[in-house]
């Protein structure tokens, strides 16, 4: 059988977004919202349910946005088709007003499996808090939902559709950055959509309000804040609330507020800000009933049957032979106190005084009279605070008060940086690095020394003998069955290094050994061509077609084959490696997947700073994977501006985390607020969210940065009299701006425009302007053009030009803006055979994206924003690829490397030829039956 010459043309059998649709979510009863569910609450207003619902429930109508997933095998043996509504998942199903009611689960309090498990989000990148899974047979709880939780759960086959409740230990981007994307994903599942209960302190109200700016269907949010209005006169201590109390678990919350020292040296909390309050959660399982004694039951006149189970459940029954009641204590042995777990988040040293004085915790202290009376014992404490806090002497002494308790230290530790949490992504990135290190530099985390050495060194200083262990990804602590009580390391992923991945690759694909040397020749030949003296020579480099000759050729000018020949632009020919570099932080669409994060591009201007184009969830984590923790911090500090294309969540939900980190890194240092350019709805989100965290930003509406407006503004001095003239330019009838803004620019916009002009100067840009595109209301592309420079020979070299399409259909405005672009970065969500789908969703096919660049005369075209149905590499017709390349996550394209860019992709095909269809099918099956 002849070998398939072009594996890229293979058609994937099932769209990933359809096949991975989780099974329906069953929720707890609505009785959670009644006062009877909270018998110990001292004031009714202390718990507020913000379950936003539409007023009317309409029957479902047919919709082209509903797509049926393949059949999944259900627990009962039947088949059920699960639908996925992409439009609703994107927050755009405004006509849908169903309430997404939370449903009841039938609990199993007797024979249940229960454990807590570390979900290691952020353990390697240290950009977000790890999540904790509390698992029961019929219920799931997650504590904290930082960025990357969705992607983590996809990687490790944890079905988010099974989660009943999410609890936040704090309300900030570090602990809640993954919530918006998670809520939207759940909303797109099933006929009616799914939701989840979200719990947190009163600060949660601010987050819910901010999220409403881009989640128009309020039924998606079931948020519950607690503790805002309770006072000291309450019948319950003000620092503790029972949130959930059912047959299998009681979850209570304790408040920990920071105490700051005033000038007199005393502690007070008058300077509290939203987001400062931390929560300690106590999860207590019911006592374990003593062993049932059938002999005693028979002596009391009971026959074997259902009454035996009733007694084991703690219910009294009528004797079958005698006129008396039989009580559980008559037939059961002594009970054992139920296991308990504490989740402690102590983010700063200022939180320690109140943590140490929490009265509700005294019942767990070994040296407490309350503990001796109640018999309570905490079996496991998971510490989420940073090591700078948890390793302090005072904190360690407090830990000792719990006696023989298992402590799991889940705060950020340096040693975890060498162990990638997203193994699938790290594996493919390392393989790409082996094949082409020029475009895929080594990760910021890989060390020459194997990660195993780090762990071995750590073992010598382990405190495990003292009941203290460092958290590892997927580490479990079993609570039920009682016989299995304790740590379980069986689920911890095996350690692996870069060397291991390369050896695995070579053993699977022996021919890959030769590829790095072949790829290196492209760079060597490119360097030779660029060193040709410019004077007296009209020799050009002939760009190799995507499938063509094995080497470059130098021929005389006036090429005979214009399609295959293209002159290198002067800005590329004279480029140094520190002019500009494009790093793709996310190249997938809709939601994060195992191999591709959602949209984000980092334009590295080196000494002149950097610019982010879109900032989807997980952008900060991707920066840290590419540049390392310290390198990413420097990149964030040196950002000049962030530009957001439109309000869809996959393009901006990583923004708050980046801005909050920048504010923290630059605190106490002279700096200006970071300019954020985006659609007006984004400003509403940022303004509402800034109540929780200091974002230290200044917003500028994309509609104020259209080309005519920017050119007019840059030609004027920023003075008090400039505003009327600016308004006349931007909003005059018949102008290009008329359709995008009906109001004159505010003084705030004028101030932002002045800052915008400084940003251009500091970044070495001649202009940056937005381009209206065809996708959703207020969707834009962007053009960046560098200032011209003079080379060593005294020749004036035009600046490079980068165009980013955002999400769009092919449109004349973008083609016009892309004229003679050095690089056009264009979305290519769908393969060519799915043009109807692309039209319906206002996206582009790969061929359409390439035609935009070809029509505009762009030198290089880079395709991105691929549907997650293409997990590793999209379906591409190779005949169109002579000046085009496919983007991968963490790929870095230097301006000086553009001539060789299209030549590399054929050599990358070898990595994927055996995996394109098979691995996705395997992944679908695993996800369906897990």
């Amino acid at each position: 059988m002849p070998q398939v010459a072009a594996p890229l043309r293979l058609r994937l059998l099932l769209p990933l977004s359809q096949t991975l649709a989780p099974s329906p979510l069953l929720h707890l009863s609505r009785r959670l919202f009644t006062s009877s569910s909270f018998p110990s609450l001292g004031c009714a207003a202390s718990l507020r349910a913000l379950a936003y619902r539409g007023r009317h429930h309409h029957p479902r109508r047919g919709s082209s946005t509903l797509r049926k997933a393949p059949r999944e095998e259900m627990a009962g043996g039947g088949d059920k088709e699960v639908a996925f509504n992409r439009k609703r998942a994107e927050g755009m199903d405004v006509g849908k007003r169903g309430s997404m009611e939370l449903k009841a689960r039938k609990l199993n309090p007797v024979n249940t499996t229960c454990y807590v498990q570390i979900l290691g989000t952020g353990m390697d990148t240290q950009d977000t808090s790890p999540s904790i899974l509390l698992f029961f047979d019929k219920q799931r709880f997650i504590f904290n939902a930082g960025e990357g939780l969705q992607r983590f759960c996809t990687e490790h086959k944890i079905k988010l559709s099974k989660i009943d409740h999410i609890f936040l230990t704090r309300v900030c981007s570090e602990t809640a950055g993954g919530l918006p994307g998670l809520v939207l994903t759940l909303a797109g599942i099933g006929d009616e959509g799914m939701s989840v209960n979200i719990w947190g302190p009163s600060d949660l109200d601010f987050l819910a309000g901010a999220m409403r700016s881009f989640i128009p269907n309020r039924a998606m949010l079931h948020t519950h804040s607690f503790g805002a209005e309770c006072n000291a006169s309450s019948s319950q201590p003000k620092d503790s609330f029972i949130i959930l109390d059912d047959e299998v678990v009681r979850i209570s919350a304790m408040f920990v507020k920071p105490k700051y020292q005033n000038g007199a040296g005393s502690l007070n909390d008058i300077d509290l800000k939203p987001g400062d309050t931390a929560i300690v959660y106590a999860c207590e399982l019911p006592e374990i009933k003593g062993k049932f004694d059938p002999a005693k039951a028979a002596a009391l006149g009971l026959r074997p049957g259902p009454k035996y189970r009733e007694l084991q459940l703690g219910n009294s029954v009528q004797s079958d032979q005698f006129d008396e009641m039989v009580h559980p204590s008559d037939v059961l042995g002594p009970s054992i106190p139920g296991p308990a777990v504490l989740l402690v988040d102590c983010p700063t040293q200022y939180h320690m005084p109140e943590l140490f004085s929490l009265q509700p915790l005294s019942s767990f202290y070994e040296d407490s009279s309350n503990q001796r009376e109640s018999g309570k014992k905490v079996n496991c404490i998971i510490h989420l605070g940073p090591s700078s806090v948890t390793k302090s002497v005072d904190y360690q002494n407090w830990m000792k008060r719990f006696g023989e308790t298992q402590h799991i230290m889940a705060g950020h530790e340096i040693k975890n940086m060498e162990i990638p949490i997203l193994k699938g992504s790290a594996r493919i990135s390392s393989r790409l690095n082996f094949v082409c290190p020029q475009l895929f530099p080594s990760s910021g985390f890989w060390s020459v020394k194997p990660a195993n050495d780090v762990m071995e060194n750590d073992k010598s200083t382990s405190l495990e003998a003292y009941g203290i262990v460092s958290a590892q990804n997927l580490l479990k602590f079993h609570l039920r069955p009682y016989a299995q009580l304790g740590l379980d390391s069986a689920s911890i992923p095996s350690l692996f290094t870069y060397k291991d991945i390369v050896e695995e690759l070579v053993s699977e694909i022996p021919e890959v050994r030769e590829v790095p040397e072949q790829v290196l020749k492209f760079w060597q030949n490119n360097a030779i061509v660029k060193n040709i003296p410019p004077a007296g020579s009209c020799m050009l480099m002939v760009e190799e077609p995507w499938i063509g000759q094995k080497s470059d050729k130098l021929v005389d000018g006036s090429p005979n084959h214009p399609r295959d020949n293209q002159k290198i632009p002067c800005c590329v020919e004279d480029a140094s490696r520190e002019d500009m570099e494009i790093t793709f932080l996310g190249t997938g669409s809709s939601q994060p997947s195992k191999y591709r994060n959602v949209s984000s591009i980092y334009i590295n201007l080196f000494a002149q700073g950097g610019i982010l184009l879109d900032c989807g969830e997980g952008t900060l984590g991707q920066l840290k994977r590419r540049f390392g923790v310290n390198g990413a911090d420097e990149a964030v500090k040196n950002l000049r501006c962030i530009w957001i294309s439109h309000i869809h969540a996959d393009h901006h939900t990583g923004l708050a985390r980046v801005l909050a980190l920048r504010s923290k890194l630059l605190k106490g240092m002279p700096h200006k607020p970071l300019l954020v350019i985006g659609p007006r709805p984004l400003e509403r989100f940022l303004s509402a969210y800034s109540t929780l965290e200091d974002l230290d930003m200044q917003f500028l509406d994309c509609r104020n940065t259209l080309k005519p407006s920017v050119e007019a503004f840059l030609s004027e001095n920023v003075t008090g009299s400039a505003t009327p003239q600016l308004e006349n330019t931007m909003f005059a009838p018949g102008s290009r701006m008329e359709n995008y803004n009906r109001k004159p620019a505010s003084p705030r916009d004028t101030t932002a425009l002045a800052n915008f002009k400084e940003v251009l100067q500091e970044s070495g840009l001649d202009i940056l302007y937005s381009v209206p595109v065809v996708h959703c209301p207020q969707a834009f592309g962007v053009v960046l053009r560098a200032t011209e420079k003079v080379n060593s020979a005294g020749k004036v070299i035009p600046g490079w030009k980068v165009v980013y399409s955002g999400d769009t259909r092919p449109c004349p405005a973008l083609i016009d803006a892309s004229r003679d672009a050095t690089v056009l970065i264009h979305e290519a969500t769908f393969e060519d055979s799915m043009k109807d789908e692309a039209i319906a969703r206002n996206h582009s096919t790969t061929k359409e994206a390439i035609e935009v660049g070809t029509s505009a005369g762009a030198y290089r075209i880079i395709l991105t924003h691929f549907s997650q149905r293409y997990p590793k590499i999209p379906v591409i017709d190779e005949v169109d690829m002579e000046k085009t390349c496919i983007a991968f996550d963490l790929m870095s394209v230097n301006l000086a490397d553009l001539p060789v860019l299209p030549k590399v992709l054929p050599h990358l095909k070898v990595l994927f030829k055996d995996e394109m269809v098979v691995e996705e099918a395997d992944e679908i099956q695993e996800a369906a039956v897990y």
Side-chain angles (χ1 to χ4, degrees), residues 770-786:
S770 302
V771 182
V773 295
V774 179
H775 181 60
C776 67
Q778 298 194 52
F780 299 89
V782 67
V783 176
L784 295 84
R785 189 174 68 228

Side-chain angles (χ1 to χ4, degrees), residues 636-647:
V636 169
K637 286 195 295 185
N638 293 323
L639 282 174
R640 298 300 183 191
C641 79
I642 300 177
W643 182 90
I644 304 297
S645 61
H646 61 291
I647 197 61

Side-chain angles (χ1 to χ4, degrees), residues 41-61:
L41 287 181
C43 47
S46 61
L47 181 94
R48 293 173 299 179
L50 300 180
Y52 304 111
R53 303 173 184 84
R55 293 185 178 180
H56 305 287
H57 180 75
H58 301 290
R60 177 166 181 80
R61 299 175 180 175

Side-chain angles (χ1 to χ4, degrees), residues 581-853:
E581 187 169 88
I582 304 168
T583 296
F584 292 87
L585 303 175
T587 57
S589 66
S590 184
Q591 60 194 52
S593 73
K594 184 175 180 179
Y595 299 109
R596 291 185 185 270
N597 199 46
V598 287
S599 297
S600 185
I601 301 169
Y602 175 61
I603 306 296
N604 189 354
L605 303 174
F606 297 94
Q608 294 174 306
I611 295 173
L612 276 176
L613 306 180
D614 279 335
C615 192
E617 178 187 337
T619 290
L620 180 59
Q622 292 290 85
L623 275 171
K624 297 201 173 192
R625 291 183 182 93
R626 170 61 183 84
F627 298 107
V629 170
N630 295 331
D633 286 351
E634 288 300 312
V636 169
K637 286 195 295 185
N638 293 323
L639 282 174
R640 298 300 183 191
C641 79
I642 300 177
W643 182 90
I644 304 297
S645 61
H646 61 291
I647 197 61
H648 285 171
D650 57 324
H651 290 258
H652 73 82
T653 49
L655 187 55
R657 187 75 194 101
V658 171
L659 291 174
L661 176 63
R662 178 183 179 274
S663 177
K664 179 180 177 181
L665 292 173
L666 294 176
K667 189 173 183 178
M669 301 171 59
H671 67 281
K672 295 182 298 185
L674 184 63
L675 184 67
V676 175
I677 305 172
R680 182 61 70 182
L682 180 64
E683 183 183 26
R684 293 196 290 271
F685 166 70
L686 294 174
S687 297
Y689 188 90
S690 61
T691 310
L692 283 171
E693 293 184 273
D694 182 12
L695 300 183
D696 194 19
M697 49 75 62
Q698 185 176 42
F699 186 82
L700 180 60
D701 193 335
C702 278
R703 295 175 296 185
N704 292 346
T705 62
L706 300 189
K707 186 177 181 181
S709 306
V710 172
E711 289 179 338
F713 176 76
L714 293 178
S715 65
E716 299 288 337
N717 294 322
V718 183
T719 63
S721 61
T723 302
Q725 185 173 358
L726 179 65
E727 293 173 3
N728 292 336
T729 302
M730 295 174 66
F731 306 107
S735 71
R736 295 177 62 182
M737 191 66 179
E738 181 186 13
N739 293 329
Y740 300 97
N741 198 347
R742 302 293 183 180
K743 299 178 181 179
S746 66
R748 179 180 56 185
D749 290 331
T750 304
T751 303
L753 282 168
N755 187 16
F756 173 62
K757 188 172 185 178
E758 292 182 22
V759 166
L760 295 180
Q761 294 171 345
E762 294 169 354
S763 305
L765 296 179
D766 181 51
I767 195 171
L768 180 156
Y769 63 88
S770 302
V771 182
V773 295
V774 179
H775 181 60
C776 67
Q778 298 194 52
F780 299 89
V782 67
V783 176
L784 295 84
R785 189 174 68 228
T787 55
E788 62 183 23
K789 64 179 183 179
V790 179
N791 65 8
S792 56
K795 181 181 177 181
V796 176
I797 305 298
W800 49 263
K801 178 180 178 180
V802 171
V803 180
Y804 170 50
S805 70
D807 287 6
T808 184
R809 289 288 301 146
C811 59
L814 187 67
I815 295 175
D816 184 58
S818 304
R819 298 290 178 197
D820 300 320
T822 314
V823 180
L824 169 62
I825 304 169
H826 201 290
E827 72 116 293
T829 309
F830 296 103
E831 62 181 280
D832 296 339
S833 64
M834 301 185 70
K835 186 174 180 178
D836 290 344
E837 187 86 353
I839 293 173
R841 303 196 185 283
N842 278 339
H843 284 295
S844 301
T845 66
T846 53
K847 188 177 185 66
E848 288 175 328
I850 294 171
E851 287 175 349
V852 169

Side-chain angles (χ1 to χ4, degrees), residues 78-96:
D79 287 341
K80 183 177 179 67
E81 286 192 349
V82 179
F84 186 80
N85 188 315
R86 182 182 299 276
K87 193 170 185 180
R88 191 186 326 122
E90 292 173 350
M92 301 306 295
D93 192 16
V94 293
K96 178 72 177 173

Side-chain angles (χ1 to χ4, degrees), residues 7 42 60 278 280 287 305 313 338 344 413 434 465 471 499 523 529-530 578 582 624-625 663 695 732 821 883 887 910:
R60 177 166 181 80
V280 173
E287 65 178 9
L313 290 173
V344 180
E413 296 188 36
F434 173 77
K499 181 180 178 182
W523 267 263
V529 171
K530 292 179 67 174
E578 296 197 355
I582 304 168
K624 297 201 173 192
R625 291 183 182 93
S663 177
L695 300 183
K883 60 179 182 180
V910 69

